[in-house]
Structures are given as structure tokens and as C-alpha cells.
């Protein structure tokens, strides 16, 4: 994809014909995939108004129309549920802003896909939380998301990235990248390769349980990191789930596990001092409680039992994906420096080793 330049941005702004005077339009957030901008408008006597403008990463999401179909379907469904429950749909879920022509997304002259969201106000997005109470609230919100979508027609969803959490397939992609070793990096990451191989048994945990029907496929979020949700400034409670691009059929254990690998890590996803990386059991315990409470009767006993495995598998899979991307020359995740994906892979594998140690304890919660 071509980098977003001022001319392109202007073309998109023209398509939306927003009201007010644009004060700034700067890159925003820490997402690894899309190009996100925060637009700030002066609305004259009504103060300032913020809008999120995003260009969808079409290298990653190769069917952007289908993706937008999913987002439109899911947000409309959630809006109705929120209103029925007496909630505020403009803060509790994402709201797409139409273009001047009434479309919910815009295709630019270069073939790029754009969308605009109302900015979720009076709320905060965390990269890390230290307090179990906050993590509990985040978990409860993702659990509630599961419950809200439990009767969403699963067949209406496009599978935006097939095999997204198929860890076996992720392993095959890693092996292929290793074999090709296009950037001749394999020699410098022997320890990581060894770790990927040692824990490859994790790839085989969920497929048989899906095949036997022991674990149901649900409408899941599939990218439950902490920075994909907002917390209400006033109440401190989880408010809104963002980043709906990967809502697809999946397992509860994926949503639980992906949140743990990011949020219950004592360090950042790209921490380079690996001695700081570990699983915070207090945060883990809080997430189990919040997620279980949020899901309510939706979660089966077997799903509850397998939450710890979800944490290990998602941590492993993510580490594997970062390693694969590093071997392939950083073609998927956005990076800030040349070893960024390798740094991320290392935190995930370090965390995984710690989780494997703590698994008996994790199972007691
Ligand atoms: P990516 O797929 O690249 O992760 P996201 O959709 O997660 O993109 O957006 C990136 C970041 O932008 C989020 O982590 C969040 O901080 C911010 N963000 C996205 N949508 C909104 C919104 N509607 N209101 C406030 N912040 C938002
Ligand atoms: C990406 O888009 P973002 O930054 O919320 C990725 C997730 C990874 C995550 C790792 C579509 O999430 O799968 O777990 O990075 N999203 C996609 O931080 O691949
Ligand atoms: Mg995101």
C-alpha cells in the first residue's frame, strides 16, 4: 500500500465533507495494522469534536467490502442490543460516520478503503494496566461482547481472514518462512526457532476439540488486546469494544487467551528487557473472573476448563506470527525499528515459558 500523504488525506476529507474547521489530522493509537488518524474539529460555539479516520490495511484484509459488511452488521446488531438495554449506543459501540454521499466507507483514487468512526468520548484506552480491578472490568466487557453476540447469525459473517487462529496453519507458515529464509535471518534467531519447535504441540490442542464439537464455534472478536477497548472515565468500567475487523467464528478460548497474552504480561509486548516479562497471576485471576462473569450462561463448563490452554496457545501463536513476519522481512505487522517483530516474538515466547510453569496454578482459578 502506498503511504498516506497529505493529498490522499485531503481527497478523503473532501469525500466526507465534515462540518467544522479541521484543527489537526495526526496519526493515532498503537494498532499494528490499519492507518489510524485522529481528526480534531473546531465546531465554533459548540467546542471541539473528534473523529477517528482509518485506512484499512488491504494487504492484510484483502476483501475490505466483506470486512465492512461484517463491521456494519455487527455494529447495527450491537446498537439494537444496547438501546434495548437502555444503554448509550454512541459510546458503547462503534458508530460509522457516512461520507457526504451517504456511504459507510470511501474508496480513494488509489484503491484504498477508508472509514470514519465517532470518537468514543470521556473514555480511555490503555496499553497496560497494573490494577486487577481495571483488568477485571476489561474482561467483563469482552465477556459481555460474547453474550451480546451469542445470537448473532454466525452464517451472516464473512470469514475475513480464513484460518486466523488456526495455529497449525500458522506453524506451517512459519516453517515455510524458515525454509525460504529470504532475508537470511534464520541464523540469528536459533533460540526462537527452537522455542517455536519445542512448543509446537500447542498447535494440536484445539482442532480435535472443535472437530468433536466439544468446543462450539462462536462469534468471537479474535483480537482482544487491551488497546482494542475503551474504559469509561467516570465509572472506570469497560465501555466499548473497538477494532471489529476480525469478528469471525472462533473459540471463547481465543478471545480469553489473546487478552491474557497482551494484558496479563508484566511488561509491554515489545519490551526488550526480558527479565521484566512474566505472567501476572493476579491479573490473570481477575481476567478469569471478569470474563466468566461477562459471558454468564453463554460459557460452557468445558470452555471454562480450557481457558488456561487458550492463554498458552494464543501466546505461542502470536510469538510464532511475529517470528514468521521477522523471517519474511516484516511484511505484515507495522514496525518502528528493524528488530521490532523479533522483540515482540521474544516477549511472547518468554511469557509462554512462564505460563507453562504457572499452568497448574492457572488451572486453580
Ligand atoms: P488496528 O487494527 O490498527 O489495531 P484499531 O481499530 O484498533 O486499529 O485502532 C487503533 C487505535 O485507535 C485503537 O487502539 C484506539 O486507541 C484508537 N481508536 C480506534 N477507534 C476509536 C474510536 N472510535 N474512538 C476512540 N479511539 C479509537
Ligand atoms: C494485530 O490490529 P491490532 O494491532 O489490534 C493483529 C492481531 C495480533 C496483534 C498483536 C488483524 O492487532 O492478530 O494479535 O496485532 N491483528 C491482525 O499485537 O492481524
Ligand atoms: Mg487494534
Amino acid at each position: 500500500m502506498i503511504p498516506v500523504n497529505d493529498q490522499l488525506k485531503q481527497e478523503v476529507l473532501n469525500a466526507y465533507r465534515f462540518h467544522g474547521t479541521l484543527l489537526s489530522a495526526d496519526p493515532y493509537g498503537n494498532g499494528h495494522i490499519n492507518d489510524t488518524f485522529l481528526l480534531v474539529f473546531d465546531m465554533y460555539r459548540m467546542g471541539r469534536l473528534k473523529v477517528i479516520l482509518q485506512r484499512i490495511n488491504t494487504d492484510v484484509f484483502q476483501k475490505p467490502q466483506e470486512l465492512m459488511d461484517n463491521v456494519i452488521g455487527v455494529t447495527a446488531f450491537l446498537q439494537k442490543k444496547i438501546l434495548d438495554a437502555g444503554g448509550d449506543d454512541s459510546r458503547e459501540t462503534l458508530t460509522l460516520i457516512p461520507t457526504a454521499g451517504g456511504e459507510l466507507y470511501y474508496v480513494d483514487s488509489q484503491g484504498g478503503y477508508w472509514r470514519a468512526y465517532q470518537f468514543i468520548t470521556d473514555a480511555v484506552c490503555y496499553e497496560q494496566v497494573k490494577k486487577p480491578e481495571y483488568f477485571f472490568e476489561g474482561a467483563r466487557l469482552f465477556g459481555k461482547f460474547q453474550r451480546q453476540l451469542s445470537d448473532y447469525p454466525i452464517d451472516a459473517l464473512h470469514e475475513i481472514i480464513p484460518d486466523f487462529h488456526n495455529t497449525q496453519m500458522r506453524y506451517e507458515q512459519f516453517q515455510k518462512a524458515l525454509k525460504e529464509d529470504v532475508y537470511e535471518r534464520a541464523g540469528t534467531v536459533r533460540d526462537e526457532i527452537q522455542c517455536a519447535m519445542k512448543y509446537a504441540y500447542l498447535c494440536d490442542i484445539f482442532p480435535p476439540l472443535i472437530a468433536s464439537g466439544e468446543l462450539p464455534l462462536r462469534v468471537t472478536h479474535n483480537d482482544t488486546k487491551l488497546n482494542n477497548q475503551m474504559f469509561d472515565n467516570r465509572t472506570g468500567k469497560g465501555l466499548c469494544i473497538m477494532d471489529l475487523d476480525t469478528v469471525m467464528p472462533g473459540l471463547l478460548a481465543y478471545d480469553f487467551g489473546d487478552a491474557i497474552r497482551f494484558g496479563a504480561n508484566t511488561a509491554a509486548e515489545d519490551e526488550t528487557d526480558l527479565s521484566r516479562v512474566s505472567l501476572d497471576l493476579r491479573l490473570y485471576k481477575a481476567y478469569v473472573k471478569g470474563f466468566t462473569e461477562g459471558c454468564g450462561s453463554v460459557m460452557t463448563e468445558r470452555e471454562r476448563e480450557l481457558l488456561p490452554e487458550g492463554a498458552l496457545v494464543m501466546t505461542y501463536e502470536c510469538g510464532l506470527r511475529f517470528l514468521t513476519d521477522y523471517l519474511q522481512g516484516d511484511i505484515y505487522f507495522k514496525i518502528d525499528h528493524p528488530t521490532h517483530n523479533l522483540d515482540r516474538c521474544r516477549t511472547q515466547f518468554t511469557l509462554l515459558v512462564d505460563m507453562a510453569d504457572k499452568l497448574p496454578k492457572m488451572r486453580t482459578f
Side-chain angles (χ1 to χ4, degrees), residues 210-311:
I210 299 172
S212 67
E214 233 172 297
L215 292 179
L217 281 180
R218 301 187 180 283
V219 176
T220 47
H221 183 279
N222 295 304
D223 188 3
T224 51
K225 2 188 227 198
L226 193 59
N227 67 12
N228 284 332
Q229 60 186 157
M230 301 282 275
F231 293 75
D232 190 303
N233 277 344
R234 195 176 51 81
T235 63
K237 295 198 183 304
L239 178 68
C240 175
I241 303 286
M242 303 178 288
D243 204 344
L244 302 172
D245 297 339
T246 50
V247 173
M248 280 183 287
L251 298 182
L252 267 196
Y254 299 157
D255 274 5
F256 174 82
D258 196 46
I260 294 298
R261 69 139 202 101
F262 188 87
N265 184 351
T266 48
E269 191 186 57
D270 58 358
E271 173 63 58
T272 50
D273 177 359
L274 294 177
S275 70
R276 299 176 68 172
V277 173
S278 65
L279 176 74
D280 184 329
L281 279 172
R282 290 172 326 134
L283 291 179
Y284 180 84
K285 188 177 175 186
Y287 211 88
V288 173
K289 192 160 178 281
F291 195 66
T292 310
E293 219 177 280
C295 286
S297 59
V298 161
M299 190 190 291
T300 67
E301 184 57 26
R302 192 74 180 118
E303 283 179 312
R304 199 186 53 74
E305 270 171 25
L306 285 157
L307 294 179
E309 277 70 14

Side-chain angles (χ1 to χ4, degrees), residues 30-33 60-61 161 164 222-223 225 227-228 243 246 258 261-262 269 318 321-322 332-333:
N30 288 305
H32 296 342
I33 303 295
V60 167
F61 301 113
I161 303 183
F164 191 63
N222 295 304
D223 188 3
K225 2 188 227 198
N227 67 12
N228 284 332
D243 204 344
T246 50
D258 196 46
R261 69 139 202 101
F262 188 87
E269 191 186 57
C318 199
R321 290 175 64 197
F322 288 140
Y332 187 94
F333 296 105

